[in-house]
Amino acid sequence: MRYFIVFVLLFYSCKRGNISEYKAYLNHNDTVKYVGKEQCRMCHVEIYDSYIKTGMGSSFHYAVKDHSALSETNMPTIYDTIKNLFYKPFWINDSLYLKEFRLKGLDTTHLLVKKINYKIGSGQHTNSHLFDINGYIHQIPYTYYTQKDIADLPPGYEDGYNSRFSREIGLECMSCHNAYVNHDETSFNKYNTISEGIDCERCHGPGEVHIKRKLAGEIIDTSKYIDYSIVNPSKLPLDLQFDICERCHLQGTSILAEGKSFDSFKPGMHLADFLDTYLPRYDNNHSFIMASHVDRLKQSTCFKESEMTCTSCHNPHKSVTTLENTYFDNKCMKCHEICNDKQVENCASCHMPKSITSDIMHVTITDHKIGIHKIEEEKTKENFLGLFSINNDNPTTLSKAKAYLKYFESFDPQLLYLDSAKYYLDRSQNNFTAYIQYFYLINDDNGLINYVMSQNIDDKKYTHSELALAYSRMGEVFGEKKLLHKAEIFHNKAITLMSNVIDYKIKYAAFLFDNNQINKAQIEYKKALSLNPTIKEIHANLGLISMIKGNYNDAESSLKQAIALDPDYILAYENLVLLYDKYDNYENTKLYLRKILEIDPNHKVKDLLKSYNF
């Protein structure tokens, strides 16, 4: 393997006033491979054995008893009162499963069992759970909150938002909760291989060139010199040290720079060159979120008036559970000598108090805003001030526009965010995919069509994932407006670019079905089904196609499979009503009409029931 000559430059830190010589690292080159933490253990046994016991080291693993907080519990059942669904975990030997069920009296009216493949979370706060189907990773609707020893729905699933088994775990999530993974770039949530916990290379960069040089006998006295085959964060300028921690301990709305992915950043690089992370600001809101460590620390006088970084207090190689009681007090007293004459015990309890988070229930975290904390009543969020990038003081107008679009789509669908997005879009260099997202989200079909027809699209300017999403949405809108030739071209472009995004195949199949191309639609649905057989919409639509073709047994089987996946899937029940009506099977027609009304008492089938004299 050939490694390119690197160059020396001066790095000037405009944030913290630090000036130091900085040289690019050999493992920054894209040809250098990640090798996994086990390779590091060959030379760094003590550090490795200590690190894997930390929260980061145990952040992601197979869902087996040795790595699951549930192994020490009575496997509590939880109940979603809104969805009327129970969830009960259980073990079969060393494998973890989840049973979703519904009761009516003493009868079980719904039962679905999923094997849990992975647990995510160190167990210091939570264990959440994931399942794998053909490499596609989704979340399981069950979290164990270890601080309070209770089980409940995962964050974001509460208050009627239980998405059950459909939440996709994309690279944005995986890249902070795990080591480098082999992500299928033609998909959103498909992985060829998955690592087991955040590893050495997340903070030191890919290790291939370092290991090869050590095995070749190259030894560098690191007490005098920097070994540029691997990143040692302590040798970096302060800003670059901080960027390593900031990459994941700054939660918010993250916007990638042009051509970058969530795996592009490597330790020793400037984070702002790869992404901007935004948080909403309100003039009187004091709440903070789970991974707000960086945001809160930056508001501290201790941070502003010193050269402290995260590692000034934290040793990333040692678990906090192994530290002496006076460990953090001693860190404080290095700067605050006034405390030396007094009996000091747990400075952080007053100056960095633990508090609940606004985004994750049943969890308390240390507030990293160091200072004198007054007890204040929680105030309602008022006077939204805007979205602000925490890691970049000068984000581009395009970055700001994308932040408002993503915040609207992912967190809070208020039109004021789209207004802000349009303001910044109009003041930035024309960005095709961002405008498509804007027109799509604001439901301006004519605006989207007119914009597309006026543009010459430079495909090389955008990532495949950006383009594919835009093309799929364009296909959807053009199809609804019966611009069928263009719609089909756009759908096919989306699938060509991102061939393993199942949603794009489903939307294309729906387009074909709506335009009387039944056989082609069936083929596309079956392609999607081969990738993931647990998606209810695919079964329901294949059932409808079979019914149209007169294959009633196949239709019945597909529709019942859709209902087995979701007991409240009204579309599948409606199609079963049509099917049994064709059979003249009045008993089953009546059964499923009444089932629809159980789910939705105001459904239009009330009138149909009357016409059948049921």
Side-chain angles (χ1 to χ4, degrees):
M1 180 174 291
R2 177 177 293 179
Y3 301 104
F4 298 97
I5 297 175
V6 296
F7 55 89
V8 178
L9 55 94
L10 289 179
F11 170 77
Y12 298 95
S13 170
C14 59
K15 295 181 182 177
R16 305 292 300 281
N18 182 57
I19 301 176
S20 63
E21 186 180 288
Y22 175 68
K23 186 177 180 180
Y25 283 79
L26 291 169
N27 68 343
H28 284 178
N29 193 284
D30 288 340
T31 63
V32 182
K33 296 177 182 178
Y34 290 87
V35 296
K37 61 182 180 291
E38 290 74 20
Q39 295 293 310
C40 305
R41 192 178 188 274
M42 292 191 299
C43 296
H44 305 283
V45 177
E46 185 177 347
I47 291 175
Y48 174 94
D49 289 347
S50 173
Y51 174 75
I52 61 172
K53 298 175 183 176
T54 67
M56 290 189 294
S58 55
S59 61
F60 196 102
H61 216 290
Y62 291 108
V64 295
K65 289 179 180 178
D66 282 349
H67 301 292
S68 173
L70 284 171
S71 63
E72 302 296 327
T73 73
N74 63 352
M75 309 292 280
T77 300
I78 64 174
Y79 177 54
D80 182 345
T81 58
I82 297 174
K83 295 281 190 179
N84 185 25
L85 290 169
F86 292 88
Y87 295 96
K88 172 69 175 178
F90 62 96
W91 296 99
I92 297 180
N93 298 321
D94 201 28
S95 296
L96 184 59
Y97 292 80
L98 185 76
K99 177 168 62 176
E100 178 190 71
F101 61 100
R102 175 175 290 163
L103 297 176
K104 187 174 184 180
L106 297 178
D107 294 330
T108 300
T109 60
H110 164 71
L111 176 62
L112 182 63
V113 175
K114 292 277 189 182
K115 181 177 180 181
I116 298 173
N117 298 95
Y118 303 101
K119 71 91 190 176
I120 183 169
S122 67
Q124 293 181 8
H125 300 99
T126 67
N127 269 184
S128 287
H129 303 91
L130 312 176
F131 76 95
D132 178 335
I133 181 75
N134 294 334
Y136 291 90
I137 306 298
H138 295 79
Q139 186 159 5
I140 290 280
Y142 187 98
T143 293
Y144 188 69
Y145 295 87
T146 56
Q147 285 180 311
K148 294 190 176 182
D149 292 324
I150 61 174
D152 207 336
L153 292 169
Y157 281 61
E158 63 271 30
D159 300 326
Y161 292 100
N162 180 0
S163 55
R164 300 177 60 246
F165 303 96
S166 63
R167 180 188 278 181
E168 299 173 325
I169 303 300
L171 190 58
E172 181 173 4
C173 175
M174 188 71 78
S175 63
C176 277
H177 286 279
N178 206 357
Y180 182 86
V181 292
N182 186 352
H183 174 247
D184 183 335
E185 295 182 353
T186 66
S187 77
F188 178 73
N189 66 317
K190 188 175 188 292
Y191 302 88
N192 298 313
T193 58
I194 293 181
S195 305
E196 300 169 26
I198 299 167
D199 69 1
C200 314
E201 293 172 297
R202 276 296 180 204
C203 296
H204 295 277
E208 182 190 34
V209 63
H210 178 69
I211 289 175
K212 284 188 174 183
R213 290 192 168 208
K214 299 311 117 180
L215 291 176
E218 179 185 281
I219 304 299
I220 293 175
D221 183 354
T222 54
S223 67
K224 297 179 181 178
Y225 309 102
I226 294 176
D227 181 353
Y228 283 101
S229 69
I230 195 79
V231 175
N232 181 341
S234 67
K235 305 292 186 182
L236 293 172
L238 293 179
D239 282 358
L240 297 187
Q241 290 183 39
F242 201 65
D243 276 357
I244 295 173
C245 305
E246 195 169 31
R247 168 64 183 89
C248 291
H249 289 269
L250 176 56
Q251 177 185 349
T253 300
S254 294
I255 302 301
L256 292 168
E258 183 177 320
K260 305 301 181 183
S261 82
F262 285 104
D263 264 346
S264 295
F265 170 77
K266 295 182 177 71
M269 295 178 170
H270 291 278
L271 183 61
D273 291 340
F274 296 86
L275 59 82
D276 299 327
T277 297
Y278 292 81
L279 286 173
R281 292 292 192 225
Y282 305 87
D283 61 2
N284 68 345
N285 181 47
H286 303 283
S287 65
F288 60 100
I289 58 179
M290 178 71 179
S292 62
H293 314 89
V294 167
D295 177 37
R296 300 293 286 178
L297 182 60
K298 281 186 172 182
Q299 299 175 44
S300 306
T301 302
C302 289
F303 177 83
K304 294 175 182 177
E305 297 186 359
S306 76
E307 293 190 338
M308 73 180 299
T309 66
C310 304
T311 54
S312 299
C313 298
H314 292 284
N315 181 345
H317 296 147
K318 289 188 178 296
S319 170
V320 293
T321 62
T322 65
L323 302 177
E324 296 179 355
N325 292 335
T326 58
Y327 177 85
F328 288 110
D329 286 346
N330 292 336
K331 294 290 185 180
C332 296
M333 285 188 283
K334 284 186 177 180
C335 296
H336 299 280
E337 295 180 0
I338 189 172
C339 299
N340 287 336
D341 298 329
K342 300 179 181 180
Q343 184 177 358
V344 177
E345 185 175 353
N346 198 2
C347 310
S349 63
C350 290
H351 298 289
M352 301 174 67
K354 290 184 179 294
S355 180
I356 60 172
T357 64
S358 60
D359 59 332
I360 300 182
M361 54 193 175
H362 312 309
V363 164
T364 59
I365 62 167
T366 299
D367 187 351
H368 279 64
K369 182 177 180 180
I370 309 167
I372 299 173
H373 290 252
K374 298 178 181 179
I375 299 176
E376 300 186 35
E377 293 183 4
E378 182 67 23
K379 298 178 181 179
T380 304
K381 295 177 183 178
E382 293 179 359
N383 299 326
F384 173 68
L385 302 177
L387 295 177
F388 291 85
S389 175
I390 307 303
N391 70 303
N392 184 359
D393 293 334
N394 296 295
T396 65
T397 53
L398 178 58
S399 174
K400 293 176 184 177
K402 289 182 175 181
Y404 280 102
L405 290 169
K406 186 174 180 179
Y407 195 77
F408 173 91
E409 188 165 10
S410 302
F411 299 109
D412 192 0
Q414 295 190 53
L415 287 177
L416 67 93
Y417 302 122
L418 290 184
D419 292 341
S420 296
K422 184 65 161 55
Y423 174 85
Y424 287 115
L425 270 178
D426 290 344
R427 284 158 180 77
S428 58
Q429 186 177 0
N430 184 39
N431 186 277
F432 180 80
T433 59
Y435 268 107
I436 295 302
Q437 185 180 11
Y438 168 76
F439 285 119
Y440 184 86
L441 294 178
I442 207 168
N443 295 317
D444 184 356
D445 292 353
N446 290 330
L448 185 148
I449 290 169
N450 291 335
Y451 176 76
V452 170
M453 300 302 284
S454 68
Q455 299 296 308
N456 291 316
I457 307 170
D458 180 7
D459 284 6
K460 296 180 181 179
K461 184 178 177 181
Y462 309 98
T463 65
H464 283 187
S465 59
E466 289 176 314
L467 273 175
L469 178 59
Y471 280 133
S472 181
R473 287 173 165 176
M474 289 155 57
E476 189 178 339
V477 171
F478 274 67
E480 289 173 356
K481 294 296 184 179
K482 297 303 177 184
L483 300 169
L484 304 184
H485 178 67
K486 285 283 189 182
E488 182 149 17
I489 289 173
F490 295 143
H491 277 300
N492 277 302
K493 282 190 172 185
I495 293 171
T496 299
L497 287 168
M498 299 288 281
S499 58
N500 283 310
V501 175
I502 299 173
D503 187 54
Y504 298 160
K505 295 181 186 297
I506 292 174
K507 287 186 175 180
Y508 178 46
F511 162 78
L512 294 171
F513 180 88
D514 289 342
N515 291 284
N516 299 315
Q517 299 183 62
I518 306 299
N519 291 331
K520 288 181 67 176
Q522 187 176 42
I523 291 170
E524 293 301 320
Y525 278 126
K526 286 183 176 180
K527 288 179 183 177
L529 190 68
S530 69
L531 297 177
N532 186 346
T534 68
I535 298 177
K536 63 183 183 183
E537 291 85 359
I538 301 175
H539 291 283
N541 285 292
L542 283 172
L544 180 58
I545 290 172
S546 293
M547 184 165 53
I548 291 171
K549 289 186 167 187
N551 300 325
Y552 294 155
N553 289 335
D554 290 346
E556 183 179 37
S557 176
S558 294
L559 293 170
K560 285 188 174 180
Q561 180 60 38
I563 291 170
L565 292 166
D566 182 357
D568 297 323
Y569 191 19
I570 286 181
L571 177 62
Y573 287 113
E574 290 173 340
N575 286 334
L576 277 171
V577 167
L578 293 174
L579 176 65
Y580 289 123
D581 185 57
K582 288 179 178 292
Y583 271 144
D584 293 330
N585 185 331
Y586 296 118
E587 284 302 313
N588 276 336
T589 303
K590 177 172 64 175
L591 172 68
Y592 288 109
L593 284 171
R594 287 181 172 168
K595 184 62 183 177
I596 291 171
L597 288 177
E598 284 181 22
I599 301 167
D600 180 7
N602 296 316
H603 195 281
K604 60 186 179 182
V605 298
K606 285 193 296 186
D607 296 332
L608 188 58
L609 272 170
K610 292 176 184 177
S611 70
Y612 275 97
N613 295 317
F614 287 153

